[in-house]
Amino acid sequence: MKRTLQTLILLTSVLLAGTSQAAAPAAFTVEVTGQGRPLILIPGLASSGEVWQGTVTRLCGPKTGRACHVLTLAGFAGVAPIDGDLLAQAERQLADYIGANKLGQPAIIGHSLGGFLALKMAIDHPARTGKLVIVDSLPALGATQLPSITQEQLQAMSTQMQSAMRAQDAASASASQRRTVAAMVSAPADVERIIGWGQRSDRETVISAMGTLMASDLRQEVAKVQSPTLVLGTWIAYKDYAPRAAIEATFQQQYRQLPGVQIALADTARHFIMYDQPDWMYARIEQFLD
């Protein structure tokens, strides 16, 4: 069974008696496949939920006893953008979605920006978060080169990055996007698919969301996570800059405060593990969920 729905969450207005509730703008759309134990899958920056197509087939196909709830965030891959902090609204509305649909504590699988959002859910809404699978995402992306970086320095770096992105003309932005995506996935067809999603994404939403990600540091807050957590990382795309051991050490250091975290690095996949090394990813997720 497959259905597509636009998630509409009502915000409670604690004002005068008789004031009506106002409908919040949708921070994501959801596509549901299968029946049974719920899984929530969140794609990364400027990505469509389509990125999880193979994962959904594997994890939520017939006889798996699972239902995949696949998100696409507002402003990404053709979904209408919304005003305000996308990630904060997506987190709040996802918690409401889980409650409204009586999903209990669903497992949450997040890639990149989606992995960051999954961590935030586990930190802020532990009663509505089950097992976590974090696919190539870190608690503090901006701290990879300088672990001692302060919150003020992260914010300054984020502000500078956003200003530089906004200053790019269309041709420069397009060329930058192609270089970035080409380093994140191996097959040319996958490169073009991901670029297409980016071209259909709202530019300001992408810049602002990336800014939020770069300015954030969850390295201490992950100590609050109560969910069993599996982190799947990559290193091969960065081999010219650092050896595998150094990249693995970065993952270990950033997740050091997360109780019982399991970390595994793929040896041939770039950032989009679900495209470059899918069987490796599926096998580890299935073992972890079961």
Side-chain angles (χ1 to χ4, degrees), residues 95-109:
D96 290 344
Y97 176 85
I98 291 168
N101 288 279
K102 298 180 173 57
L103 301 182
Q105 290 183 300
I108 302 179
I109 304 173

Side-chain angles (χ1 to χ4, degrees), residues 27-31 41-53 70-80 86-87 90 109-115 117 135-136 177 180-182 184-185 190-203 205-207 209-210 213 271-275:
F28 50 81
T29 60
V30 185
E31 183 175 276
L41 296 98
I42 312 174
L45 186 75
S47 287
S48 166
E50 183 189 337
V51 75
W52 297 115
Q53 188 174 56
V70 180
L71 277 58
T72 300
L73 300 184
F76 294 170
V79 176
L86 172 62
L87 295 185
I109 304 173
H111 175 239
S112 195
L113 181 78
L117 183 53
V135 182
D136 215 29
Q177 179 199 35
T180 300
V181 174
M184 289 182 167
V185 69
D190 294 331
V191 170
E192 296 306 319
R193 182 184 303 111
I194 296 164
I195 286 175
W197 295 334
Q199 291 172 342
R200 297 196 302 276
S201 296
D202 178 70
R203 184 178 180 186
T205 299
V206 172
I207 293 172
M210 188 63 190
L213 188 63
H271 185 53
F272 283 81
I273 304 177
M274 65 286 289
Y275 285 150

Side-chain angles (χ1 to χ4, degrees), residues 158-169:
S158 171
T159 299
Q160 183 178 24
M161 179 201 70
Q162 291 179 74
S163 296
M165 291 176 73
R166 291 186 178 103
Q168 286 184 318
D169 59 28

Side-chain angles (χ1 to χ4, degrees), residues 12-26:
T12 302
S13 181
V14 187
L15 298 172
L16 298 175
T19 301
S20 61
Q21 293 179 324

Side-chain angles (χ1 to χ4, degrees), residues 135-261:
V135 182
D136 215 29
S137 184
L138 291 168
L141 181 61
T144 53
Q145 298 299 316
L146 183 63
S148 62
I149 195 168
T150 66
Q151 186 60 59
E152 291 74 18
Q153 290 171 323
L154 282 171
Q155 185 58 60
M157 181 174 66
S158 171
T159 299
Q160 183 178 24
M161 179 201 70
Q162 291 179 74
S163 296
M165 291 176 73
R166 291 186 178 103
Q168 286 184 318
D169 59 28
S172 298
S174 178
S176 177
Q177 179 199 35
R178 182 166 289 277
R179 286 194 302 271
T180 300
V181 174
M184 289 182 167
V185 69
S186 300
D190 294 331
V191 170
E192 296 306 319
R193 182 184 303 111
I194 296 164
I195 286 175
W197 295 334
Q199 291 172 342
R200 297 196 302 276
S201 296
D202 178 70
R203 184 178 180 186
E204 183 56 33
T205 299
V206 172
I207 293 172
S208 296
M210 188 63 190
T212 300
L213 188 63
M214 292 299 292
S216 298
D217 186 350
L218 303 181
R219 286 177 294 177
Q220 298 305 313
E221 288 189 78
V222 295
K224 301 175 185 177
V225 173
Q226 300 173 23
S227 302
T229 304
L230 172 66
V231 176
L232 302 176
T234 63
W235 70 277
I236 197 72
Y238 320 113
K239 65 180 181 179
D240 292 338
Y241 309 100
R244 186 188 195 281
I247 294 172
E248 185 171 16
T250 296
F251 275 89
Q252 295 287 352
Q253 290 162 5
Q254 289 222 357
Y255 282 101
R256 185 171 51 208
Q257 301 298 327
L258 203 162
V261 65

